[in-house]
Amino acid sequence: MQEHFTSKTHILSKEQIKSLESDAIAKCVDGLNSKFCASSCNIFNTVYGLVKKSKPFSDVETVIEIQIKNDVDMGSGLHSRTTATSIAAHIASEIKTKVFKTIVEKKLKICIIVDEAMS
């Protein structure tokens, strides 16, 4: 029995079992991360839809409730009006960055019109 526990075959088998266990944990964590990302994407899409339709952020909780009733995975967080405001600000800054980056890359011209009545 002692010979078996010290043999190369036993040691290799033990190492393989350890690597499989660590792979199982990594797969589990990856699954949880992808589920969290999917629910966050659903929240971002909901907020973007409200902003695009010029709806008030007070509607976000109601819209999320409706989507949960329709079996859409909305996660357990990011359901408040203040979070919706932060998400909308983040989306706006990302869109602004993308637009300005495109303008700079394509060397497009910009025209700014200033109305004296507003200053």
PDB file of all heavy atoms in Angstrom, residues 13-32:
ATOM      1  N   SER A  13      -2.044  11.345 -10.524  1.00  0.00           N
ATOM      2  CA  SER A  13      -3.504  11.320 -10.366  1.00  0.00           C
ATOM      3  C   SER A  13      -3.954  12.386  -9.375  1.00  0.00           C
ATOM      4  O   SER A  13      -4.959  13.069  -9.592  1.00  0.00           O
ATOM      5  CB  SER A  13      -3.962   9.950  -9.880  1.00  0.00           C
ATOM      6  OG  SER A  13      -3.648   8.965 -10.813  1.00  0.00           O
ATOM      7  N   LYS A  14      -3.207  12.534  -8.289  1.00  0.00           N
ATOM      8  CA  LYS A  14      -3.541  13.541  -7.290  1.00  0.00           C
ATOM      9  C   LYS A  14      -3.460  14.951  -7.871  1.00  0.00           C
ATOM     10  O   LYS A  14      -4.335  15.796  -7.630  1.00  0.00           O
ATOM     11  CB  LYS A  14      -2.560  13.417  -6.122  1.00  0.00           C
ATOM     12  CG  LYS A  14      -3.175  13.150  -4.804  1.00  0.00           C
ATOM     13  CD  LYS A  14      -2.097  13.000  -3.764  1.00  0.00           C
ATOM     14  CE  LYS A  14      -2.660  13.268  -2.415  1.00  0.00           C
ATOM     15  NZ  LYS A  14      -1.682  13.072  -1.353  1.00  0.00           N
ATOM     16  N   GLU A  15      -2.427  15.223  -8.652  1.00  0.00           N
ATOM     17  CA  GLU A  15      -2.273  16.543  -9.274  1.00  0.00           C
ATOM     18  C   GLU A  15      -3.400  16.821 -10.263  1.00  0.00           C
ATOM     19  O   GLU A  15      -3.899  17.939 -10.349  1.00  0.00           O
ATOM     20  CB  GLU A  15      -0.917  16.628  -9.976  1.00  0.00           C
ATOM     21  CG  GLU A  15       0.249  16.699  -9.028  1.00  0.00           C
ATOM     22  CD  GLU A  15       1.591  16.638  -9.737  1.00  0.00           C
ATOM     23  OE1 GLU A  15       1.611  16.576 -10.990  1.00  0.00           O
ATOM     24  OE2 GLU A  15       2.626  16.648  -9.047  1.00  0.00           O
ATOM     25  N   GLN A  16      -3.793  15.785 -11.008  1.00  0.00           N
ATOM     26  CA  GLN A  16      -4.870  15.960 -11.973  1.00  0.00           C
ATOM     27  C   GLN A  16      -6.193  16.258 -11.269  1.00  0.00           C
ATOM     28  O   GLN A  16      -6.975  17.103 -11.707  1.00  0.00           O
ATOM     29  CB  GLN A  16      -5.005  14.721 -12.847  1.00  0.00           C
ATOM     30  CG  GLN A  16      -5.950  14.904 -14.003  1.00  0.00           C
ATOM     31  CD  GLN A  16      -5.938  13.714 -14.940  1.00  0.00           C
ATOM     32  OE1 GLN A  16      -5.473  12.644 -14.590  1.00  0.00           O
ATOM     33  NE2 GLN A  16      -6.468  13.914 -16.132  1.00  0.00           N
ATOM     34  N   ILE A  17      -6.448  15.602 -10.153  1.00  0.00           N
ATOM     35  CA  ILE A  17      -7.678  15.850  -9.388  1.00  0.00           C
ATOM     36  C   ILE A  17      -7.691  17.288  -8.871  1.00  0.00           C
ATOM     37  O   ILE A  17      -8.711  17.977  -8.932  1.00  0.00           O
ATOM     38  CB  ILE A  17      -7.815  14.838  -8.231  1.00  0.00           C
ATOM     39  CG1 ILE A  17      -8.156  13.450  -8.792  1.00  0.00           C
ATOM     40  CG2 ILE A  17      -8.868  15.273  -7.233  1.00  0.00           C
ATOM     41  CD1 ILE A  17      -8.120  12.336  -7.770  1.00  0.00           C
ATOM     42  N   LYS A  18      -6.546  17.769  -8.383  1.00  0.00           N
ATOM     43  CA  LYS A  18      -6.466  19.154  -7.897  1.00  0.00           C
ATOM     44  C   LYS A  18      -6.730  20.155  -9.014  1.00  0.00           C
ATOM     45  O   LYS A  18      -7.424  21.149  -8.828  1.00  0.00           O
ATOM     46  CB  LYS A  18      -5.092  19.421  -7.278  1.00  0.00           C
ATOM     47  CG  LYS A  18      -4.919  18.837  -5.907  1.00  0.00           C
ATOM     48  CD  LYS A  18      -3.560  19.201  -5.347  1.00  0.00           C
ATOM     49  CE  LYS A  18      -3.349  18.531  -4.004  1.00  0.00           C
ATOM     50  NZ  LYS A  18      -2.003  18.835  -3.450  1.00  0.00           N
ATOM     51  N   SER A  19      -6.176  19.888 -10.196  1.00  0.00           N
ATOM     52  CA  SER A  19      -6.392  20.815 -11.312  1.00  0.00           C
ATOM     53  C   SER A  19      -7.853  20.814 -11.754  1.00  0.00           C
ATOM     54  O   SER A  19      -8.405  21.850 -12.104  1.00  0.00           O
ATOM     55  CB  SER A  19      -5.473  20.475 -12.483  1.00  0.00           C
ATOM     56  OG  SER A  19      -5.847  19.256 -13.077  1.00  0.00           O
ATOM     57  N   LEU A  20      -8.492  19.636 -11.719  1.00  0.00           N
ATOM     58  CA  LEU A  20      -9.912  19.572 -12.086  1.00  0.00           C
ATOM     59  C   LEU A  20     -10.767  20.321 -11.074  1.00  0.00           C
ATOM     60  O   LEU A  20     -11.739  20.986 -11.445  1.00  0.00           O
ATOM     61  CB  LEU A  20     -10.365  18.116 -12.208  1.00  0.00           C
ATOM     62  CG  LEU A  20      -9.831  17.345 -13.409  1.00  0.00           C
ATOM     63  CD1 LEU A  20     -10.240  15.887 -13.314  1.00  0.00           C
ATOM     64  CD2 LEU A  20     -10.329  17.957 -14.699  1.00  0.00           C
ATOM     65  N   GLU A  21     -10.422  20.220  -9.789  1.00  0.00           N
ATOM     66  CA  GLU A  21     -11.179  20.944  -8.771  1.00  0.00           C
ATOM     67  C   GLU A  21     -11.043  22.449  -8.954  1.00  0.00           C
ATOM     68  O   GLU A  21     -12.017  23.185  -8.834  1.00  0.00           O
ATOM     69  CB  GLU A  21     -10.709  20.525  -7.377  1.00  0.00           C
ATOM     70  CG  GLU A  21     -11.154  19.146  -6.961  1.00  0.00           C
ATOM     71  CD  GLU A  21     -10.553  18.719  -5.626  1.00  0.00           C
ATOM     72  OE1 GLU A  21      -9.673  19.441  -5.095  1.00  0.00           O
ATOM     73  OE2 GLU A  21     -10.974  17.670  -5.124  1.00  0.00           O
ATOM     74  N   SER A  22      -9.837  22.913  -9.251  1.00  0.00           N
ATOM     75  CA  SER A  22      -9.657  24.349  -9.437  1.00  0.00           C
ATOM     76  C   SER A  22     -10.372  24.818 -10.700  1.00  0.00           C
ATOM     77  O   SER A  22     -10.900  25.929 -10.750  1.00  0.00           O
ATOM     78  CB  SER A  22      -8.168  24.697  -9.508  1.00  0.00           C
ATOM     79  OG  SER A  22      -7.581  24.119 -10.650  1.00  0.00           O
ATOM     80  N   ASP A  23     -10.430  23.989 -11.744  1.00  0.00           N
ATOM     81  CA  ASP A  23     -11.177  24.338 -12.952  1.00  0.00           C
ATOM     82  C   ASP A  23     -12.674  24.428 -12.671  1.00  0.00           C
ATOM     83  O   ASP A  23     -13.363  25.294 -13.212  1.00  0.00           O
ATOM     84  CB  ASP A  23     -10.928  23.310 -14.063  1.00  0.00           C
ATOM     85  CG  ASP A  23      -9.528  23.406 -14.651  1.00  0.00           C
ATOM     86  OD1 ASP A  23      -8.867  24.436 -14.416  1.00  0.00           O
ATOM     87  OD2 ASP A  23      -9.112  22.453 -15.330  1.00  0.00           O
ATOM     88  N   ALA A  24     -13.177  23.552 -11.812  1.00  0.00           N
ATOM     89  CA  ALA A  24     -14.603  23.584 -11.476  1.00  0.00           C
ATOM     90  C   ALA A  24     -14.955  24.885 -10.757  1.00  0.00           C
ATOM     91  O   ALA A  24     -15.988  25.502 -11.025  1.00  0.00           O
ATOM     92  CB  ALA A  24     -14.968  22.382 -10.619  1.00  0.00           C
ATOM     93  N   ILE A  25     -14.085  25.329  -9.860  1.00  0.00           N
ATOM     94  CA  ILE A  25     -14.324  26.576  -9.133  1.00  0.00           C
ATOM     95  C   ILE A  25     -14.280  27.754 -10.105  1.00  0.00           C
ATOM     96  O   ILE A  25     -15.126  28.648 -10.054  1.00  0.00           O
ATOM     97  CB  ILE A  25     -13.295  26.745  -7.999  1.00  0.00           C
ATOM     98  CG1 ILE A  25     -13.538  25.693  -6.919  1.00  0.00           C
ATOM     99  CG2 ILE A  25     -13.350  28.141  -7.404  1.00  0.00           C
ATOM    100  CD1 ILE A  25     -12.463  25.624  -5.864  1.00  0.00           C
ATOM    101  N   ALA A  26     -13.303  27.735 -11.014  1.00  0.00           N
ATOM    102  CA  ALA A  26     -13.196  28.821 -11.991  1.00  0.00           C
ATOM    103  C   ALA A  26     -14.425  28.874 -12.893  1.00  0.00           C
ATOM    104  O   ALA A  26     -14.938  29.953 -13.194  1.00  0.00           O
ATOM    105  CB  ALA A  26     -11.941  28.644 -12.830  1.00  0.00           C
ATOM    106  N   LYS A  27     -14.922  27.722 -13.314  1.00  0.00           N
ATOM    107  CA  LYS A  27     -16.118  27.678 -14.158  1.00  0.00           C
ATOM    108  C   LYS A  27     -17.332  28.209 -13.408  1.00  0.00           C
ATOM    109  O   LYS A  27     -18.173  28.911 -13.972  1.00  0.00           O
ATOM    110  CB  LYS A  27     -16.381  26.257 -14.646  1.00  0.00           C
ATOM    111  CG  LYS A  27     -15.412  25.799 -15.706  1.00  0.00           C
ATOM    112  CD  LYS A  27     -15.689  24.378 -16.139  1.00  0.00           C
ATOM    113  CE  LYS A  27     -14.646  23.902 -17.136  1.00  0.00           C
ATOM    114  NZ  LYS A  27     -14.836  22.498 -17.496  1.00  0.00           N
ATOM    115  N   CYS A  28     -17.430  27.883 -12.129  1.00  0.00           N
ATOM    116  CA  CYS A  28     -18.551  28.362 -11.315  1.00  0.00           C
ATOM    117  C   CYS A  28     -18.510  29.879 -11.189  1.00  0.00           C
ATOM    118  O   CYS A  28     -19.529  30.558 -11.346  1.00  0.00           O
ATOM    119  CB  CYS A  28     -18.499  27.703  -9.940  1.00  0.00           C
ATOM    120  SG  CYS A  28     -19.828  28.200  -8.845  1.00  0.00           S
ATOM    121  N   VAL A  29     -17.326  30.422 -10.919  1.00  0.00           N
ATOM    122  CA  VAL A  29     -17.176  31.869 -10.795  1.00  0.00           C
ATOM    123  C   VAL A  29     -17.469  32.552 -12.128  1.00  0.00           C
ATOM    124  O   VAL A  29     -18.141  33.596 -12.175  1.00  0.00           O
ATOM    125  CB  VAL A  29     -15.757  32.227 -10.283  1.00  0.00           C
ATOM    126  CG1 VAL A  29     -15.496  33.716 -10.384  1.00  0.00           C
ATOM    127  CG2 VAL A  29     -15.582  31.748  -8.854  1.00  0.00           C
ATOM    128  N   ASP A  30     -17.004  31.978 -13.234  1.00  0.00           N
ATOM    129  CA  ASP A  30     -17.291  32.536 -14.556  1.00  0.00           C
ATOM    130  C   ASP A  30     -18.790  32.548 -14.831  1.00  0.00           C
ATOM    131  O   ASP A  30     -19.320  33.499 -15.401  1.00  0.00           O
ATOM    132  CB  ASP A  30     -16.569  31.749 -15.648  1.00  0.00           C
ATOM    133  CG  ASP A  30     -15.074  32.016 -15.663  1.00  0.00           C
ATOM    134  OD1 ASP A  30     -14.651  33.033 -15.074  1.00  0.00           O
ATOM    135  OD2 ASP A  30     -14.344  31.212 -16.263  1.00  0.00           O
ATOM    136  N   GLY A  31     -19.472  31.482 -14.427  1.00  0.00           N
ATOM    137  CA  GLY A  31     -20.919  31.424 -14.609  1.00  0.00           C
ATOM    138  C   GLY A  31     -21.631  32.510 -13.828  1.00  0.00           C
ATOM    139  O   GLY A  31     -22.558  33.150 -14.328  1.00  0.00           O
ATOM    140  N   LEU A  32     -21.201  32.728 -12.591  1.00  0.00           N
ATOM    141  CA  LEU A  32     -21.806  33.780 -11.772  1.00  0.00           C
ATOM    142  C   LEU A  32     -21.526  35.159 -12.358  1.00  0.00           C
ATOM    143  O   LEU A  32     -22.401  36.022 -12.371  1.00  0.00           O
ATOM    144  CB  LEU A  32     -21.279  33.700 -10.336  1.00  0.00           C
ATOM    145  CG  LEU A  32     -21.730  32.493  -9.516  1.00  0.00           C
ATOM    146  CD1 LEU A  32     -21.009  32.467  -8.176  1.00  0.00           C
ATOM    147  CD2 LEU A  32     -23.229  32.513  -9.312  1.00  0.00           C
TER     148      LEU A  32
END
